């Protein structure tokens, strides 16, 4: 069953149950109160009739013939059976009981009369008092404990019919609204599903273009588009990784193969220098494999950190001092702007590795007489380290990829700065392990700034 049918049936079932419960409770309470109202009204008529009989009584003459006629007429009008007894228990007045029995029999004989259920026969006895003296008692008999009048029955029938019609109209309206709401929810989801299936088939350029007032659907659309963009980037990186891996491994192997062929053909002599060249190429391959292994370790769920408290300022100064000879050889400068006495609780070796990677990366891409600035400052919540260079810079479209493994910009390739494109990947993994962040700002020809923030 599709989502539209599921939602529509769910809405309808909810409406039906809600209306049924509301209608049942309302009908029960109205029926109960209405029956009580009719009983109270009937009792009021009985007491009124008792008062009438008392008023008609004359102490000297008793009841006259006209009084008898009035009592008979009222009894017939209100469907009462009347007996008036004196103090000796003798009947003074008695109406025709067959009049109300006849109506009871009509329930079984006439279909329309059956709508008015007269109920059980009841007799009530009241004492008659005139001028403070008892003059006898009156017995009032009638049928009914509920619907005592045809008007009351018709009112209740109309009420039930109205309720039934209201339920029917509510269900029709509910069906229409539920279908509209269900389609409003389901249509975007169907489109999103279609786009997802296209992505599954390999079309990573597919995007969801849906405008919806529903917050969750909008977020889902954005998430699908973000997923598509991420997968597209990952696919691009995967292809580039394959090419880079082939390039990194092929170069040393080709060199070794060429030299060995030359030795076999007698073109080269097997000298110590040539074997040292072979050794260097093999070492390069070993380092590449080791870095791959390091990345695999860094990407494990739990990277082990050995944290200790130490003076970060002194350690960074030592790292900077270790680079000064290579900078001097290149006629370049390395400048330190270090806040003193900055103490942290971090993995000391991992932090040194981060600094070595960042400074080495900056050194590779500066020109002769270039400059690298390394700064350390302590903020309220973070330790901030910046490595700024005035080198060749990074193009804007390449910045999102520089922390991906084996990624090397086109400029770095053309300048043959060396490296495998793994250093920044390792650096970011180490910073992430310390729950920190690293950001890059750069422009071509103007240099780059790597900013590291690590929580205290």
């Amino acid at each position: 069953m599709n989502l539209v049918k599921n939602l529509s049936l769910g809405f309808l079932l909810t409406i039906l149950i809600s209306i049924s419960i509301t209608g049942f409770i309302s009908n029960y309470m109205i029926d109960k109160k209405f029956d009580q109202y009719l009983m109270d009204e009937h009792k009021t008529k009985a007491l009124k009739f008792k008062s009438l009989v008392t008023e008609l009584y004359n102490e000297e003459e008793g009841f006259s013939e006209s009084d008898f006629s009035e009592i008979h007429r009222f009894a017939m009008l209100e469907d009462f059976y009347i007996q008036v007894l004196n103090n000796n228990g003798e009947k003074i007045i008695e109406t025709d009981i067959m009049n109300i029995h006849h109506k009871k029999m009509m329930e079984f004989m006439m279909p329309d009369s059956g709508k008015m259920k007269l109920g059980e026969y009841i007799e009530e006895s009241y004492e008659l008092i005139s001028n403070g003296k008892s003059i006898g008692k009156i017995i009032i008999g009638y049928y009914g404990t509920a619907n005592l009048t045809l008007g009351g029955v018709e009112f209740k029938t109309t009420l039930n019919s109205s309720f039934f019609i209201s339920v029917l109209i509510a269900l029709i309206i509910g069906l229409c609204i539920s279908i509209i709401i269900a389609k409003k929810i389901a249509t975007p989801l169907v489109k999103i599903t279609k786009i997802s299936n296209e992505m599954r088939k390999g079309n990573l350029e597919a995007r969801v273009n849906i405008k919806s007032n529903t917050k969750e659907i909008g977020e889902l659309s954005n998430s699908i588009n973000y997923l598509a963009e991420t997968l597209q980037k990952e696919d691009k990186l995967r292809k580039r990784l394959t090419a880079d891996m082939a390039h990194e491994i092929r170069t040393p192997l080709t060199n070794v193969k060429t030299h060995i062929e030359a030795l076999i053909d007698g073109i080269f002599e097997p000298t110590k220098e040539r074997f040292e060249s072979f050794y260097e190429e093999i070492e390069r391959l070993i380092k590449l494999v080791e870095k791959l292994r390091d990345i695999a370790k860094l990407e494990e769920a739990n990277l082990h950190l050995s944290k200790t408290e130490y003076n970060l300022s002194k350690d960074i100064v030592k790292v900077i001092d270790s680079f000064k000879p290579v900078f001097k050889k290149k006629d370049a400068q390395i400048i330190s702007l270090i806040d003193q006495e900055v103490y942290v609780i971090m993995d000391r070796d991992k932090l040194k590795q981060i600094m070595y990677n960042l400074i080495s990366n900056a050194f590779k891409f500066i020109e002769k007489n270039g400059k690298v600035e390394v700064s350390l400052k302590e903020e309220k919540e973070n330790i901030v380290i910046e490595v700024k260079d005035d080198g060749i810079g990074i193009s804007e479209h390449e910045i999102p990829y520089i922390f991906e493994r084996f990624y090397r910009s086109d400029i770095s390739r053309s300048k043959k700065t060396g490296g495998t494109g793994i250093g920044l990947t390792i650096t970011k993994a180490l910073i992430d392990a310390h729950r920190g962040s690293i950001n890059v700002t750069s422009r071509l020809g103007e240099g780059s700034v790597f900013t590291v923030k690590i929580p205290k």
Side-chain angles (χ1 to χ4, degrees), residues 169-443:
I169 293 173
L171 285 176
I172 294 173
I173 294 173
L175 177 62
C176 296
I177 294 175
S178 64
I179 291 174
I180 292 171
I181 295 175
K183 285 188 175 180
K184 188 176 179 181
I185 295 173
T187 302
L189 294 178
V190 171
K191 291 181 180 178
I192 291 172
T193 303
K194 184 178 178 182
I195 296 297
S196 300
N197 287 330
E198 288 186 21
M199 290 168 56
R200 185 180 66 180
K201 294 175 182 178
N203 182 14
L204 298 179
E205 295 183 356
R207 295 293 183 272
V208 179
N209 186 18
I210 295 174
K211 293 181 180 180
S212 175
N213 295 326
T214 305
K215 180 181 177 182
E216 289 75 10
I217 291 177
E219 290 178 350
L220 179 61
S221 301
N222 293 334
S223 298
I224 292 293
N225 287 336
Y226 178 77
L227 176 62
E229 290 173 6
T230 304
L231 289 174
Q232 195 171 18
K233 289 178 182 178
E234 289 294 328
D235 186 61
K236 182 179 179 181
L237 287 171
R238 178 180 59 80
K239 292 176 180 177
R240 186 156 189 168
L241 170 61
T242 304
D244 287 348
M245 281 290 294
H247 173 77
E248 295 293 341
I249 295 174
R250 183 176 64 248
T251 302
L253 289 177
T254 301
N255 290 338
V256 172
K257 180 184 177 183
T258 302
H259 283 76
I260 291 174
E261 287 176 348
L263 289 172
I264 293 172
D265 295 338
I267 299 173
F268 289 159
E269 293 294 329
T271 62
K272 180 181 178 182
E273 289 77 12
R274 301 202 190 284
F275 284 114
E276 285 177 351
S277 176
F278 297 162
Y279 182 81
E280 289 175 1
E281 294 297 339
I282 293 171
E283 278 290 307
R284 183 179 174 187
L285 284 172
I286 291 173
K287 288 180 180 178
L288 177 61
V289 173
E290 286 178 349
K291 286 189 176 182
L292 284 172
R293 186 185 61 185
D294 290 341
I295 290 178
K297 288 182 179 180
L298 290 171
E299 290 182 347
E300 289 179 358
N302 297 312
L303 177 64
H304 177 69
L305 297 176
S306 178
K307 293 185 178 182
T308 57
E309 185 177 5
Y310 64 96
N311 190 326
L312 179 61
S313 304
K314 290 183 178 180
D315 276 40
I316 292 182
V317 169
K318 289 179 181 178
V319 172
I320 293 172
D321 289 341
S322 68
F323 274 94
K324 285 183 178 179
V326 294
F327 272 82
K328 187 176 181 180
K329 188 175 181 180
K330 195 175 183 178
D331 293 330
Q333 299 181 61
I334 180 167
I335 301 171
S336 60
L337 302 171
I338 308 298
D339 288 355
Q340 299 302 311
E341 304 301 321
V342 177
Y343 283 86
V344 294
I345 300 176
M346 297 173 59
D347 189 310
R348 198 167 194 168
D349 292 333
K350 300 292 190 297
L351 192 280
K352 285 182 179 179
Q353 188 174 358
I354 290 170
M355 295 307 303
Y356 274 113
N357 287 344
L358 290 176
I359 296 174
S360 297
N361 188 69
F363 177 76
K364 289 176 186 177
F365 298 106
I366 59 173
E367 303 288 350
K368 189 176 181 180
N369 299 319
K371 182 174 66 175
V372 174
E373 292 183 3
V374 181
S375 65
L376 168 67
K377 56 185 177 180
E378 186 175 10
E379 294 183 345
K380 186 176 180 180
E381 297 179 354
N382 299 308
I383 301 297
V384 181
I385 301 169
E386 280 190 358
V387 178
K388 180 180 178 181
D389 65 71
D390 58 0
I392 58 177
I394 307 168
S395 63
E396 185 177 351
H397 76 276
E398 288 184 313
I399 288 178
Y401 307 107
I402 61 173
F403 295 107
E404 300 293 339
R405 68 184 73 179
F406 297 107
Y407 185 85
R408 290 167 62 195
S409 67
D410 294 331
I411 293 178
S412 67
R413 287 178 182 278
S414 63
K415 292 182 72 66
K416 297 182 180 179
T417 53
T420 58
I422 298 177
L424 288 178
T425 305
I426 295 174
T427 301
K428 186 176 186 305
L430 293 173
I431 293 170
D432 290 342
H434 284 88
R435 298 184 180 179
S437 63
I438 181 168
N439 296 305
V440 184
T441 56
S442 182
R443 295 185 66 179

Side-chain angles (χ1 to χ4, degrees), residues 78-141:
E78 298 296 339
D79 294 328
F80 285 152
Y81 165 70
I82 302 298
Q83 277 188 15
V84 179
L85 308 177
N86 60 21
N87 287 328
N88 297 324
E90 298 173 347
K91 291 181 184 179
I92 302 173
I93 301 173
E94 181 180 18
T95 62
D96 187 4
I97 193 170
M98 292 306 296
N99 180 52
I100 59 174
H101 286 339
H102 175 71
K103 288 192 175 182
K104 180 65 177 177
M105 292 175 65
M106 291 291 289
E107 290 184 13
F108 305 100
M109 297 174 63
M110 299 293 291
D112 292 338
S113 296
K115 294 179 182 178
M116 183 175 66
K117 302 298 180 182
L118 297 178
E120 301 297 327
Y121 179 73
I122 300 172
E123 284 190 354
E124 295 175 350
S125 178
Y126 301 94
E127 187 177 3
L128 296 174
I129 298 174
S130 179
N131 296 324
K133 296 180 181 180
S134 176
I135 60 173
K137 66 178 181 179
I138 182 171
I139 297 172
I140 302 176

Side-chain angles (χ1 to χ4, degrees), residues 41-100:
E41 184 183 34
H42 201 93
K43 190 164 287 188
T44 301
K45 289 180 181 179
L47 292 173
K48 183 179 179 182
F49 189 72
K50 171 198 163 186
S51 300
L52 175 64
V53 172
T54 304
E55 290 174 4
L56 292 175
Y57 178 77
N58 188 294
E59 291 184 3
E60 296 180 355
E61 299 179 357
F63 294 102
S64 65
E65 289 295 329
S66 61
D67 295 337
F68 293 159
S69 299
E70 182 71 15
I71 291 171
H72 276 280
R73 186 182 66 81
F74 191 86
M76 184 176 292
L77 183 65
E78 298 296 339
D79 294 328
F80 285 152
Y81 165 70
I82 302 298
Q83 277 188 15
V84 179
L85 308 177
N86 60 21
N87 287 328
N88 297 324
E90 298 173 347
K91 291 181 184 179
I92 302 173
I93 301 173
E94 181 180 18
T95 62
D96 187 4
I97 193 170
M98 292 306 296
N99 180 52
I100 59 174

